[in-house]
Amino acid sequence: MTIFASAPEADEPRLAGLAAEWRAIVAREQENRVAQIAAWEARLAELRAEQEELVRGGRWAGGPDDLLSILGQSRQERYHSALLAWLLDPQGRHGLGAGFLEALLRRCAADPPRVELNRARPALDVSLGDARADVVVAGPGLCLVIENKVDAREQPLRCDRLYESFCREPGAQFVFLSPSGRAPVTATGAAREAFTPMSYADIAAMLRDAIASAPGKGATAHGREAASNYLATLEREFR
């Protein structure tokens, strides 16, 4: 009687062949990985050597180069308000003249009030009635009120109170400044229409243009550098 091999026994040579092929594939993959790791290590050694050469030559630098970021104050609302007030002063030693102020006013209205901008003067924390504005630029026929919010939330009725207190001033204009350029949540009715939302990226764009076209009269080297340095802060922090 002929005895036939069982199915598993018949498959053993084929399985052994497949196992050998698999071991060969695994071995090749391991060789490839070893070669890749060796290449990566060699390239890393080259990069480290290049870095060391740059460090020795004083050409390896990092970190912020604008003053507010160096001081860790790039989100400090009061510092931003102070710098904005300085830039909005037509007689400031930044040399921008009224260029920055005029650009901001044009964002508020298609036809900004015809006033003597060179006589405008900025002030911080201006109180009127039961409201206090972060920045006010006042001059003949002009009262620009800026509510500045970097990270803090709006206080209840904040913008409504600002509007009610300042809306009767000649040439009243209202700006709500924030990182995102959002509309104020505490402005209702006429105040909602009066406030122009503005972002810090908008401020950066206006300042960049103002610096590029600045007449330079009355500017000092330190003043020009301060304006440019603040622009670097805006570009770094509010993209």
Side-chain angles (χ1 to χ4, degrees):
M1 181 175 63
T2 303
I3 300 176
F4 294 96
S6 64
E9 294 174 350
D11 288 339
E12 285 181 1
R14 181 166 173 269
L15 291 173
L18 290 173
E21 291 179 13
W22 176 252
R23 287 193 293 271
I25 292 172
V26 170
R28 285 196 299 272
E29 288 297 320
Q30 289 177 338
E31 291 175 358
N32 290 338
R33 280 198 292 270
V34 170
Q36 287 177 343
I37 291 172
W40 291 339
E41 289 178 342
R43 181 55 182 153
L44 181 59
E46 292 176 2
L47 292 174
R48 285 174 174 166
E50 291 176 9
Q51 181 194 28
E52 288 299 324
E53 181 64 26
L54 291 171
V55 171
R56 283 194 297 270
R59 292 174 292 165
W60 185 271
D65 58 0
D66 59 290
L67 186 59
L68 287 185
S69 296
I70 292 170
L71 297 175
Q73 301 297 325
S74 59
R75 306 287 294 196
Q76 176 56 252
E77 187 175 289
R78 181 165 179 79
Y79 292 162
H80 284 286
S81 293
L83 282 161
L84 286 170
W86 176 67
L87 291 167
L88 290 167
D89 184 354
Q91 295 185 10
R93 293 190 175 183
H94 41 65
L96 304 180
F100 182 61
L101 173 58
E102 184 176 2
L104 195 148
L105 288 173
R106 290 190 181 281
R107 286 296 303 270
C108 295
D111 186 19
R114 298 180 181 277
V115 297
E116 300 178 53
L117 293 184
N118 288 328
R119 295 176 60 188
R121 291 293 175 270
L124 295 169
D125 296 327
V126 178
S127 296
L128 184 63
D130 62 350
R132 185 178 64 183
D134 292 326
V135 180
V136 172
V137 183
L142 173 65
C143 182
L144 174 63
V145 179
I146 301 176
E147 172 64 2
N148 185 17
K149 281 288 172 281
V150 176
D151 292 321
R153 293 184 178 182
E154 298 170 52
Q155 298 174 8
L157 304 176
R158 173 73 170 178
C159 289
D160 279 354
R161 287 174 177 168
L162 283 170
Y163 177 75
E164 291 170 3
S165 297
F166 287 91
C167 67
R168 297 175 186 83
E169 296 297 308
Q173 298 284 337
F174 298 86
V175 169
F176 185 83
L177 177 62
S178 69
S180 65
R182 65 176 177 85
V185 298
T186 58
T188 62
R192 185 189 301 275
E193 299 299 323
F195 272 91
T196 299
M198 202 170 293
S199 72
Y200 269 94
D202 295 330
I203 295 293
M206 287 184 283
L207 179 56
R208 190 181 306 112
D209 292 342
I211 290 173
S213 59
K217 296 179 180 179
T220 64
H222 292 312
R224 288 192 297 268
E225 177 58 29
S228 297
N229 196 270
Y230 183 53
L231 176 59
T233 299
L234 296 176
E235 292 174 337
R236 178 187 181 89
E237 190 67 33
F238 305 103
R239 298 175 182 176

